[in-house]
Amino acid sequence: MPQSPLLIGCASGFSGDRSDGAAAVVRTLAAQGGGTLIFETLAERTLALAQLARNDDPRRGYEPLLDELVAPVLADCLRHGISIVSNFGAANPQGAALRIAEIAREQGLPAPRIAIVHGDALNAPEQRALMKEKLGAALDGLDIVSATAYLGATEIAQALAAGAQIVVAGRVADPSLTLGPALAHFGWDPADWPKLGRATMAGHMLECGLQVTGGYFCVPGLKDVPDVDSAGFPIAEIQADGEFVIGKAADTGGAVDARTVKEQLLYEVHDPARYLTPDVVADLSHAHVVELGGDRVAVRGITGHARPAELKVNVCYRGGWLAEAEISYAGVQAEARARLAADIVQKRLGSAFKLRADLIGAISILGDDAGEMRRALPDSHARDVRLRLAGEHADRAQAERILREVTALYTCGPAGGGGVRTALRPRLNMLSCTIPREAVHSGWNFLEEIAP
Amino acid sequence: MTQANQTVAVPLYRLAHSRSGDKGNISNLSLIAWDPECYAALEAQVTETRVADWFAYRHPTGVKRYTLPTLHAMNFVLDGVLDGGVNDALNLDTHGKSLSFRLLDMTVEVSAELARRLPDIPGDRPAAA
């Protein structure tokens, strides 16, 4: 097995991220002899939305921006031996793989070897029975859209080792997108927990895209970041022992320093000694960072422990309706009028709704759904306030009452309310549990084995 | 009291930076010292109790602090503070991304000498507790 370092670049941190970041990453990887390009495009509910899209059209259900992500860099990746690994298959990895094969044909490229990871969707009766065992009555009567397990790096590694140039997965854990290529490249023992722990945290650094390269870090005057508008996506250099350095695409804006790296290291971590993934329990409780200069930071001191026995499962279900309506007040007593308007609507709708009021421009984001903070804060005499009311109801017609009450403020007062906007959206809710990994039948195939 | 012993209250953002993360109805808030010399004040003063009080209006069901001296950082895990989380909360910020900046408005006491050397934003006006 080669022991040369492996470069892994990430060009997407979620579905909806910038889609023009890959070219600079691919140029950087190509100049250094190749590597792997990953796109992370799933959040907790993204997969359920993809399943709804697939229900409407069986050819859909994969990342809607797949073409934008892949088409501009496919030829260069194939030419320079850069593999592409992604969960952009979402609810339809085979559909995504077919589309990539089509893009290659449209561009006159030789057919790439595309692998598909399967088994994350839990639809078998015995799998549903296990979820029922774990979640009990909470599952009763739910209109389930999707139930998926978080797969790990094993299938990705196997597919790459077998010669896949592109690996399309659905729900795999975000860091597994990085660990898979590392396992394939270095041929590590899959129970070498310290190495797996380190490469997993390298994946954790990459998985949110610009969060580690300064995009999500900057605070004007306090945490300034150069050229943040053109910040580059991150690249990890992983060594044969799993130690890694975080950098970014060449000739891009943004910054990678000890501070940006520390923020991302702890992002969405609970116990730093036990960061759970399907592959390993990573331990960053003794991590430290070393700035190497030139937007490169080494992260050292990470180890790992044996992987959990069970896999995490997300169950998404239809969750009624979210109604949101806004109206603006400006000038003298604007905040007092907005507060009065909120009281009026809340009194008229009574206790039948979970309802929230925000005074945008005075208090909104930091408040709580119950409104305790808003009631406790004295009138700050804000003179440009937008009142936002949000509520939910299982029944669409009831949810619409919220919108009508806010619209009625146009004539029913308080004075000077303007600019009403209303929106009604279906909600997707989620439950989580874990099930034994033996109950999850994961695997992988080359596309041509399924759809020759 | 001599000059050297005088302390002043400063907002946390002058000593540290922070980022929120969310999983379900749980928020984690990192708190990372700008400089190793700021870490002791954070560890001594930003306790689980103070953080629980600071976020009391969100009714946390548990607050756990993990210290990471090699990173000069701490990680706070606040259970039940996201009004149900991204699927249930009616907040504009259902992920609680802004909660790290709420934490950074908390004040701590540091020596006047240290306070003079800490970064500040001219003209900034921290929110009231």
Side-chain angles (χ1 to χ4, degrees):
Chain A
M1 280 291 166
Q3 295 298 293
S4 57
L6 173 64
L7 293 181
I8 302 183
C10 172
S12 175
F14 69 104
S15 179
D17 202 350
R18 283 181 195 158
S19 59
D20 59 354
V25 173
V26 169
R27 275 196 301 275
T28 308
L29 296 181
Q32 296 186 53
T36 300
L37 174 67
I38 65 172
F39 297 100
E40 199 292 289
T41 65
L42 291 183
E44 285 184 336
R45 285 173 307 169
T46 317
L47 216 146
L49 293 169
Q51 185 61 52
L52 291 173
R54 187 176 180 171
N55 295 349
D56 290 343
D57 178 349
R59 290 166 302 179
R60 290 169 59 205
Y62 55 83
E63 166 56 42
L65 293 180
L66 179 75
D67 280 37
E68 272 190 44
L69 294 172
V70 172
V73 294
L74 183 58
D76 280 340
C77 285
L78 295 175
R79 182 179 310 130
H80 295 287
I82 297 166
S83 52
I84 298 174
V85 176
S86 178
N87 54 14
F88 52 34
N92 188 3
Q94 187 175 329
L98 283 167
R99 178 61 199 143
I100 294 169
E102 214 170 86
I103 294 170
R105 274 197 300 279
E106 287 165 9
Q107 297 186 356
L109 302 169
R113 297 213 83 192
I114 306 174
I116 298 159
V117 175
H118 53 80
D120 56 323
L122 305 179
N123 299 318
E126 69 270 20
Q127 293 171 327
R128 294 293 170 106
L130 274 168
M131 284 158 22
K132 175 77 187 156
E133 209 172 282
K134 286 296 181 82
L135 291 165
L139 270 186
D140 290 347
L142 296 186
D143 183 358
I144 294 175
V145 174
S146 68
T148 43
Y150 282 74
L151 304 184
T154 308
E155 291 78 20
I156 293 170
Q158 289 170 350
L160 289 169
Q165 293 165 293
I166 298 164
V167 183
V168 181
R171 182 71 274 180
V172 296
D174 300 351
S176 304
L177 298 174
T178 296
L179 180 58
L183 281 168
H185 181 80
F186 296 113
W188 291 332
D189 179 339
D192 191 336
W193 309 120
K195 290 192 182 83
L196 267 61
R198 290 191 272 273
T200 288
M201 291 318 291
H204 177 71
M205 302 305 295
L206 295 179
E207 71 192 36
C208 295
L210 298 192
Q211 281 196 181
V212 73
T213 58
Y216 194 72
F217 176 84
C218 53
V219 178
L222 195 63
K223 303 197 290 182
D224 289 305
V225 173
D227 301 318
V228 69
D229 58 296
S230 61
F233 277 81
I235 296 173
E237 304 164 31
I238 303 177
Q239 303 291 328
D241 59 1
E243 296 285 353
F244 63 92
V245 171
I246 296 296
K248 67 182 179 70
D251 305 316
T252 57
V256 180
D257 61 25
R259 303 174 309 170
T260 69
V261 164
K262 284 181 185 178
E263 280 198 13
Q264 182 58 23
L265 203 54
L266 290 172
Y267 177 68
E268 289 185 340
V269 167
H270 290 171
D271 180 351
R274 294 186 54 76
Y275 182 70
L276 304 182
T277 77
D279 304 303
V280 64
V281 176
D283 181 347
L284 56 139
S285 59
H286 295 86
H288 59 279
V289 300
V290 182
E291 289 187 344
L292 305 176
D295 290 311
R296 295 175 75 243
V297 175
V299 185
R300 304 207 175 116
I302 292 170
T303 188
H305 312 293
R307 69 185 193 179
E310 301 211 319
L311 295 179
K312 182 179 173 182
V313 170
N314 280 350
V315 181
C316 271
Y317 58 96
R318 292 176 204 269
W321 297 87
L322 171 67
E324 283 184 289
E326 297 180 1
I327 183 168
S328 279
Y329 297 90
V332 61
Q333 289 292 76
E335 183 176 337
R337 283 180 282 139
R339 284 176 182 264
L340 175 57
D343 290 346
I344 290 169
V345 174
Q346 288 186 314
K347 273 184 192 157
R348 289 182 54 82
L349 287 173
S351 57
F353 297 90
K354 182 180 173 189
L355 199 62
R356 176 187 172 111
D358 292 313
L359 306 171
I360 299 170
I363 172 170
S364 55
I365 305 290
L366 288 172
D368 52 299
D369 279 2
E372 281 183 35
M373 195 190 218
R374 171 169 48 85
R375 282 188 293 275
L377 279 185
D379 190 330
S380 62
H381 302 285
R383 290 174 70 94
D384 191 336
V385 177
R386 188 152 178 86
L387 169 67
R388 167 184 179 263
L389 281 144
E392 64 167 359
H393 204 283
D395 179 51
R396 179 179 183 141
Q398 289 296 310
E400 281 172 346
R401 283 180 60 202
I402 298 165
L403 308 183
R404 290 209 307 276
E405 283 297 336
V406 175
T407 304
L409 295 171
Y410 260 146
T411 53
C412 302
V420 171
R421 299 274 187 282
T422 65
L424 187 70
R425 280 192 288 272
R427 304 194 98 187
L428 279 174
N429 286 6
M430 210 188 65
L431 289 170
S432 294
C433 65
T434 61
I435 64 171
R437 57 173 71 233
E438 297 72 38
V440 177
H441 313 299
S442 56
W444 68 276
N445 291 99
F446 282 116
L447 174 63
E448 58 265 29
E449 296 167 356
I450 302 167
Chain B
M1 193 184 281
T2 66
Q3 184 76 20
N5 290 334
Q6 280 183 353
T7 63
V8 292
V10 298
L12 269 183
Y13 66 75
R14 296 189 62 195
L15 281 86
H17 53 115
S18 173
R19 180 180 295 178
S20 314
D22 72 297
K23 288 205 186 285
N25 197 14
I26 303 171
S27 178
N28 86 285
L29 306 170
S30 59
L31 188 66
I32 304 162
W34 286 120
D35 192 280
E37 72 176 325
C38 297
Y39 180 67
L42 301 181
E43 196 179 78
Q45 296 180 54
V46 189
T47 59
E48 288 175 357
T49 307
R50 271 201 78 196
V51 170
D53 289 348
W54 192 245
F55 287 97
Y57 71 102
R58 291 276 194 130
H59 302 286
T61 53
V63 174
K64 172 83 182 152
R65 182 179 86 162
Y66 298 94
T67 57
L68 293 136
T70 53
L71 293 173
H72 307 106
M74 304 193 290
N75 190 40
F76 291 91
V77 180
L78 283 67
D79 291 327
V81 288
L82 292 178
D83 283 327
V86 65
N87 304 297
D88 291 324
L90 297 175
N91 195 326
L92 282 162
D93 176 17
T94 48
H95 295 91
K97 299 276 187 190
S98 57
L99 293 182
S100 57
F101 285 85
R102 167 78 181 154
L103 179 65
L104 290 175
D105 269 344
M106 185 191 277
T107 57
V108 288
E109 297 280 332
V110 298
S111 72
E113 193 273 328
L114 176 59
R116 271 193 298 278
R117 287 184 281 122
L118 295 174
D120 196 9
I121 306 171
D124 189 64
R125 181 170 51 89

